[in-house]
Amino acid sequence: MLLKLHDKLTIASADELKATLVAALDGGGDILLDATAVEQIDLTGLQLLFAAHKTAVRNGKTFAFAEGAASEVIDLAALRAGFARDADDSNTSLWLRRSHEHA
Amino acid sequence: MSRTILVVDDSLSMRQMVSHTLEQAGYAVKAAVNGREGLEVAQANAVDLVVTDVNMPEMDGIALVRALRAEPNHRYTPILVLTTESTDTKKAEGKAAGATGWLVKPFSPDQLLKVVTKVLP
Amino acid sequence: MSTPDPTSAMEQFAATFREEAADLLTDVETTLLALETSPDDPDLIARAFRALHTIKGSSAMFGFTDITTFAHALETTFDEVRKGNIAVTPALVSLALQGKDLIRSMLDGSGADTKEACAEVIHALREMDVAAQPPAPAAPRVSAPRPPDPPAVAKTYRVAFQPQADLLKDGTNPLGLWTELLELGSGEVVATTDQIPPLHDLVPDACYVAWDAVLTTQKDEAALRDVFLFVEDRGALTITLADDGESDTEDDKKLGQILIERGSIRPEQLQAALAAQPRLGTILTVGGTVAPDQVAAALAEQRVTRQARAERAAGAPVDAAASVRVAADKLDDLVDLVGELVIAQSRLTQVAASRDDLELVAIAEDVERLTADLRDNTLNLRMVPIGSTFNRFKRLVRDLSTELGKQIDLVTDGAETELDKTVIERLGDPLVHIIRNSCDHGIESPADREASGKPPTGTVRLAAYQSGPNVIIEIHDDGAGLDVEAIREKAIARGLMAADASLSEGELFQLVFLAGFSTAKSVSVVSGRGVGMDVVKRSIDALRGTVELKSKRGAGTTLRIKLPLTLAIIDGLLVSVGTGRYVLPMSLVEECVEISRAQVEEARGAHLVPVRGELVPYMRLREWFHEEGEQPLVEQIAIASTEGRRFGFAVDDVIGQHQTVIKTMGRMYGDTEGLAGATILGDGTVALIVDVAGVIRNAIPAGPPPS
């Protein structure tokens, strides 16, 4: 299913985002995110997306940004928060550091 | 999307300085002259950050912080307390009431903006 | 972000402050007069205190520092009054009124000699305070311009913050902390995310993350601590020095050492892991000793420290541009010149050795050492990180995923691995080929993957790392793997192997690199990768590299490319054939054996030599290069190994190991089969470098010998 994310993924609306993600995961299918509307994300938003991704992967489901529907806001926040990773085998992070943009 | 910051201070010059600095940096500013008025503005508007003086008539800054934390909309709104005390008691009082951070007067416009950037999500 | 023209704005606020303070002073006056009649009214006392407090705070803001100091003294006294420690007396009221007048003259800037009067009032107030309570706290910090930081060396710090779960409850935004920290210098932040629970158990406003940062900065530790000022009571902050900014010659810290220093593992755990070899990060992670995030944090530290040291070694301050751009051909010219120098130097060494002159020998040794250093440094100039080529592959995989209707992630590792610029330039096309194959033929469709119990999204992993004098590049996919039986059938059908030949799996896999193994049309049937794999192999050969293929049915395929760090230098085995001299790349030569005329005759024309129980085919370089002269009674055979097969080169004599700079050959020889280049020996003669893989390909085009 395609899940459209709201403009603010911050602590004030974290309960709401969790409910949305739980409902989506309980649906049992693969989830593609449309993050084009996201204007703001904080640690709670990152944690929720991370947890949803982890849970989905564990269930053998896809949890990813839809083609062309990723969000620079989210990528930047993930980078700032240290969530981005140079990928390796054991890693299932939703965020990958793009080669050498850190510095 | 510009963020809205509520500035609460009974001193006109301080209000002007803080508001002007924030507006120049692209924030939308709402101002109030004491805690009670500040609370009313915060209840009626979406506010992304509150910058408040401590010592004010009617309702002081510490009481405002407590009142805001009791509002469902502002449980997590970042609040900066402007204090003249460099000693720890006032800061501790502010933190205990639920403030996010503080700024000790005197501060420069750049220092203000730096702290604002730091606490704004 | 700063206010434009802050000076005039500040002047305007100062004007507002003057008016405001004048009003407040009027207010103070009225309040004080009212206090004379009702000295115990708490509202009046609070009002006076607040007015003085506001004057103090605002005057400090707008640069009226004399007022700030003075108002502070008055405010302190009224604070004591407010607390009930000092009673309101007529003396206090008249002192306060006097103070109010002084502030007014300071505001107007009229009273020139307020200083002395202020001192008197403050003195009188102090006496009242002393009578009442402990000494007044020191006057507030007045905005004196901070002296510029002394020029400091950049040091590298580890900054770890382990917050409490309730970190976010008062509106703290931890992301802002890290942004602010990184603005102090250059570094990296790694979040430890393994405490984030499954979605259903997650409490949305709790903080589950801890952070490790590595920062190279000229600021001191206190400045780093300041960043965490608001949260220091909401978590554990540790700041330690990872690199003191002094050494640049010291070896980079090993990952294991960093992990121990960071307290992520104990020394004995490291020993156990090291005993198991491969790459430390992988072992410790897979073995569960250390969380992946901790390894990631340690790796970040290694990167940041290394960069800081490199920048220091280059003698550049951390913040300044630390590089100079040089045209690539200038660099190539330099490498050529150094090559000439190396040759001249080795002639000098030879001549010196032949004369009985100790002084000359000593000089020759010095020149040799300096030349070697110069050569290494020069070649190092052409080293660039491989990461620049990685970027284009991300795009490629994205496009291919869409095109093929598959879900494929490309992950890369070791982007910072350095290789000679010319190698990297020529590596791009083969890698595109390989990755395309992995996506096209390796990774299955999401439906097929799910059917075989795999996650629907396939992963292609591109990793580079240095291993001794080589760089290893691995391309791994978690796709269907190669079908060994299909390859065998295919190879037999194409006449690449005998129908009854028994080849090992490794040998069978190597067949896909042979020209004519497959065409695009048949690839999907074979479910292997075949499109132009021979082309890939040739490109890698030309870079003096080797390719190995491993695959497990159902689990995926790994291509392992081993490349020399540079093309400019070859570590070779120097051999002689007749009057000619040849160099075989040392990386391919396994061992040397002898073969006597009697053994050759015994073999009755078959070019096979027994090497530890196995018959290895060989050919004579004499015949290949049409060298004149008599074949010696005992020949030397250099056994080379490539593509999983062994092959011998019969030569007259093995002279020894020879490291030298490769000269590209003129266009005339460019097409000569079996030659990879030339080098000039110490005595000035030319030796030809044998293209071992090329010769083998031509000598035995029909694959491995029948056994």
Side-chain angles (χ1 to χ4, degrees):
Chain A
M1 69 173 284
L2 187 70
L3 185 62
K4 174 114 181 153
L5 296 174
H6 287 217
D7 56 345
K8 286 190 181 185
L9 308 182
T10 54
I11 190 164
S13 52
D15 286 330
E16 190 192 328
L17 176 61
K18 178 181 172 180
T20 310
L21 291 172
V22 166
L25 280 185
D26 288 350
D30 289 337
I31 297 170
L32 287 178
L33 300 172
D34 175 355
T36 46
V38 176
E39 291 177 0
Q40 219 178 316
I41 184 165
D42 64 8
L43 181 68
T44 63
L46 292 175
Q47 285 185 158
L48 280 165
L49 291 180
F50 186 97
H53 175 258
K54 189 164 142 182
T55 307
V57 167
R58 187 173 298 170
N59 297 340
K61 300 297 172 207
T62 299
F63 185 90
F65 295 107
E67 181 71 28
S71 153
E72 268 187 30
V73 175
I74 297 180
D75 285 354
L76 186 66
L79 190 73
R80 286 168 64 191
F83 275 60
R85 282 287 181 284
D86 286 330
D88 58 59
D89 288 340
S90 55
N91 204 298
T92 50
S93 176
L94 189 54
W95 296 281
L96 293 179
R97 192 200 300 279
R98 288 179 186 51
S99 267
H100 251 62
E101 69 191 1
H102 64 278
Chain B
M1 179 198 58
S2 98
R3 313 287 177 82
T4 302
I5 301 179
L6 169 61
V7 176
V8 189
D9 202 315
D10 60 331
S11 157
L12 175 65
S13 55
M14 281 299 299
R15 249 185 356 256
Q16 275 189 355
M17 183 264 179
V18 173
S19 306
H20 178 83
T21 303
L22 295 175
E23 276 165 1
Q24 287 294 317
Y27 298 106
V29 174
K30 294 191 183 300
V33 299
N34 60 44
R36 187 163 320 282
E37 207 180 281
L39 185 59
E40 281 163 16
V41 175
Q43 283 165 333
N45 297 276
V47 169
D48 297 291
L49 168 70
V50 179
V51 178
T52 179
D53 188 24
V54 176
N55 237 287
M56 292 180 295
E58 304 262 342
M59 181 193 260
D60 71 12
I62 305 294
L64 172 63
V65 173
R66 269 195 209 102
L68 284 172
R69 289 291 177 238
E71 294 283 322
N73 284 345
H74 295 295
R75 262 178 79 188
Y76 306 109
T77 305
I79 305 175
L80 280 177
V81 170
L82 304 180
T83 163
T84 328
E85 320 299 326
S86 51
T87 48
D88 284 342
T89 38
K90 268 282 164 343
K91 289 179 215 162
E93 211 181 317
K95 275 295 267 184
T100 314
W102 59 85
L103 202 54
V104 179
K105 294 183 213 172
F107 51 82
S108 69
D110 281 345
Q111 285 170 314
L112 171 67
L113 290 176
K114 205 177 149 201
V115 178
V116 164
T117 326
K118 177 174 175 163
V119 298
L120 260 187
Chain C
M1 269 212 302
S2 91
T3 49
D5 197 6
T7 333
S8 75
M10 283 306 268
E11 273 164 18
Q12 188 203 318
F13 305 139
T16 308
F17 166 71
R18 275 199 193 87
E19 288 171 28
E20 185 184 12
D23 290 350
L24 285 166
L25 288 173
T26 312
D27 196 33
V28 168
E29 187 172 20
T30 338
T31 313
L32 287 172
L33 293 173
L35 269 175
E36 276 198 310
T37 48
S38 39
D40 297 326
D41 186 334
D43 286 348
L44 288 176
I45 295 170
R47 193 171 171 150
F49 172 80
R50 205 164 46 233
L52 290 166
H53 185 84
T54 304
I55 291 172
K56 179 182 86 172
S58 302
S59 61
M61 289 296 301
F62 306 112
F64 298 86
T65 52
D66 47 351
I67 297 183
T68 311
T69 319
F70 189 63
H72 176 70
L74 278 170
E75 181 209 14
T76 309
T77 306
F78 272 86
D79 197 26
E80 294 302 321
V81 174
R82 203 169 56 146
K83 290 176 187 159
N85 294 327
I86 296 179
V88 178
T89 59
L92 174 62
V93 171
S94 67
L95 204 53
L97 284 171
Q98 203 183 328
K100 177 221 73 173
D101 289 339
L102 281 168
I103 294 178
R104 196 177 294 268
S105 21
M106 285 188 268
L107 269 179
D108 300 343
S110 53
D113 54 351
T114 49
K115 231 177 206 167
E116 207 169 303
C118 284
E120 273 172 34
V121 172
I122 290 175
H123 184 73
L125 288 171
R126 285 268 161 79
E127 288 189 341
M128 287 188 186
D129 292 346
V130 170
Q133 267 281 313
R141 279 187 302 120
V142 172
S143 61
R146 274 184 55 188
D149 292 322
V153 280
K155 298 181 179 184
T156 304
Y157 295 90
R158 297 179 190 124
V159 182
F161 184 56
Q162 170 86 52
Q164 297 165 9
D166 66 355
L167 175 74
L168 310 174
K169 294 241 164 82
D170 55 14
T172 295
N173 166 30
L175 275 53
L177 299 176
W178 298 110
T179 309
E180 189 183 340
L181 185 78
L182 290 185
E183 279 168 4
L184 297 178
S186 65
E188 282 187 39
V189 177
V190 177
T192 303
T193 49
D194 53 3
Q195 295 303 312
I196 301 180
L199 181 67
H200 295 75
D201 304 332
L202 183 138
V203 178
D205 69 353
C207 175
Y208 294 100
V209 177
W211 286 273
D212 280 297
V214 193
L215 178 76
T216 302
T217 176
Q218 299 189 358
K219 300 273 196 295
D220 61 4
E221 195 187 315
L224 271 53
R225 243 169 228 293
D226 263 359
V227 172
F228 298 87
L229 191 62
F230 299 160
V231 294
E232 59 189 3
D233 58 338
R234 286 189 182 259
L237 175 71
T238 34
I239 299 181
T240 49
L241 205 55
D243 181 69
D244 58 11
E246 302 296 334
S247 61
D248 45 18
T249 48
E250 185 190 331
D251 286 341
D252 286 336
K253 283 181 188 166
K254 297 282 188 294
L255 180 58
Q257 189 191 347
I258 294 176
L259 283 165
I260 290 178
E261 283 186 18
R262 301 175 69 94
S264 303
I265 53 168
R266 293 193 310 276
E268 56 273 23
Q269 290 175 309
L270 175 65
Q271 286 308 321
L274 283 176
Q277 261 321 300
R279 297 191 73 201
L280 185 56
T282 318
I283 316 166
L284 289 171
T285 314
V286 172
T289 316
V290 181
D293 289 333
Q294 286 175 306
V295 175
L299 285 171
E301 175 175 332
Q302 207 177 30
R303 267 197 302 273
V304 171
T305 317
R306 195 177 283 163
Q307 192 181 342
R309 286 199 177 147
E311 280 167 3
R312 240 183 355 254
V318 169
D319 290 337
S323 57
V324 177
R325 293 180 81 92
V326 176
D329 48 357
K330 281 191 188 173
L331 221 48
D332 293 345
D333 288 349
L334 181 63
V335 171
D336 270 357
L337 282 173
V338 169
E340 303 281 354
L341 181 65
V342 170
I343 290 157
Q345 170 267 316
S346 71
R347 284 178 63 188
L348 172 65
T349 305
Q350 277 195 357
V351 170
S354 66
R355 309 268 163 96
D356 210 4
D357 184 342
L358 284 179
E359 213 177 342
L360 181 62
V361 170
I363 295 173
E365 279 174 2
D366 278 352
V367 173
E368 186 173 356
R369 183 175 45 79
L370 290 170
T371 309
D373 283 354
L374 179 64
R375 182 199 61 203
D376 291 349
N377 278 311
T378 308
L379 292 175
N380 214 18
L381 291 180
R382 292 209 303 196
M383 303 298 264
V384 291
I386 199 169
S388 49
T389 57
F390 281 7
N391 284 334
R392 60 192 272 208
F393 301 130
K394 298 230 169 189
R395 179 62 197 270
L396 174 73
V397 169
R398 235 177 84 162
D399 292 351
L400 281 174
S401 312
T402 322
E403 198 178 300
L404 299 166
K406 296 178 182 174
Q407 296 168 15
I408 310 172
D409 278 346
L410 176 72
V411 298
T412 60
D413 191 12
E416 73 283 357
T417 309
E418 291 191 326
L419 256 174
D420 192 294
K421 184 177 69 67
T422 45
V423 179
I424 286 184
E425 280 162 5
R426 289 158 64 181
L427 194 60
D429 287 344
L431 283 182
V432 167
H433 237 107
I434 294 168
I435 291 173
R436 189 176 276 279
N437 266 329
S438 294
C439 294
D440 196 357
H441 309 297
I443 305 287
E444 316 88 325
S445 71
D448 288 353
R449 290 180 66 88
E450 289 200 295
S452 51
K454 292 181 181 180
T457 301
T459 303
V460 175
R461 180 170 186 271
L462 178 57
Y465 58 94
Q466 195 180 334
S467 161
N470 298 299
V471 164
I472 312 290
I473 298 171
E474 282 179 350
I475 304 95
H476 169 81
D477 67 63
D478 65 350
L482 296 186
D483 185 339
V484 179
E485 280 319 303
I487 292 174
R488 185 195 304 278
E489 283 166 26
K490 181 98 193 152
I492 293 170
R494 300 248 159 200
L496 298 174
M497 62 180 278
D500 56 352
S502 79
L503 296 187
S504 72
E505 203 173 73
E507 286 168 332
L508 278 166
F509 287 153
Q510 289 301 329
L511 294 179
V512 306
F513 291 117
L514 293 179
F517 172 75
S518 66
T519 63
K521 187 169 167 275
S522 60
V523 169
S524 46
V525 181
V526 182
S527 94
R529 50 200 69 210
V531 186
M533 277 321 242
D534 57 322
V535 179
V536 169
K537 176 81 174 89
R538 263 173 212 274
S539 312
I540 303 297
D541 284 348
L543 294 170
R544 285 193 283 115
T546 57
V547 198
E548 245 177 58
L549 195 152
K550 282 181 195 154
S551 183
K552 196 156 185 276
R553 190 88 186 114
T557 305
T558 304
L559 261 163
R560 192 165 184 272
I561 301 173
K562 185 169 158 189
L563 293 166
L565 279 174
T566 173
L567 290 182
I569 282 203
I570 186 166
D571 196 10
L573 186 72
L574 184 62
V575 300
S576 69
V577 180
T579 53
R581 301 278 180 278
Y582 294 88
V583 173
L584 300 170
M586 204 62 183
S587 55
L588 299 177
V589 176
E590 282 191 339
E591 61 187 306
C592 294
V593 297
E594 284 181 0
I595 187 166
S596 65
R597 179 68 54 85
Q599 281 173 296
V600 172
E601 277 162 7
E602 206 176 290
R604 272 168 288 159
H607 282 186
L608 293 172
V609 58
V611 181
R612 281 180 281 119
E614 191 192 332
L615 284 176
V616 175
Y618 69 93
M619 55 92 58
R620 291 196 169 82
L621 278 189
R622 173 183 303 278
E623 288 160 13
W624 185 270
F625 291 112
H626 309 293
E627 282 284 354
E628 311 273 302
E630 197 56 17
Q631 197 171 303
L633 281 176
V634 176
E635 290 170 280
Q636 303 287 329
I637 299 183
I639 307 294
S641 167
T642 170
E643 298 165 34
R645 292 181 296 174
R646 302 166 93 195
F647 192 81
F649 292 86
V651 299
D652 292 0
D653 206 0
V654 172
I655 300 171
Q657 205 168 328
H658 181 81
Q659 197 195 47
T660 191
V661 177
I662 299 181
K663 307 287 288 181
T664 44
M665 292 199 293
R667 212 179 315 146
M668 251 183 84
Y669 298 96
D671 291 334
T672 308
E673 196 76 60
L675 279 187
T679 176
I680 299 173
L681 302 177
D683 60 7
T685 59
V686 171
L688 298 173
I689 298 164
V690 180
D691 170 13
V692 169
V695 170
I696 295 179
R697 228 184 345 256
N698 276 283
I700 37 170
S707 13

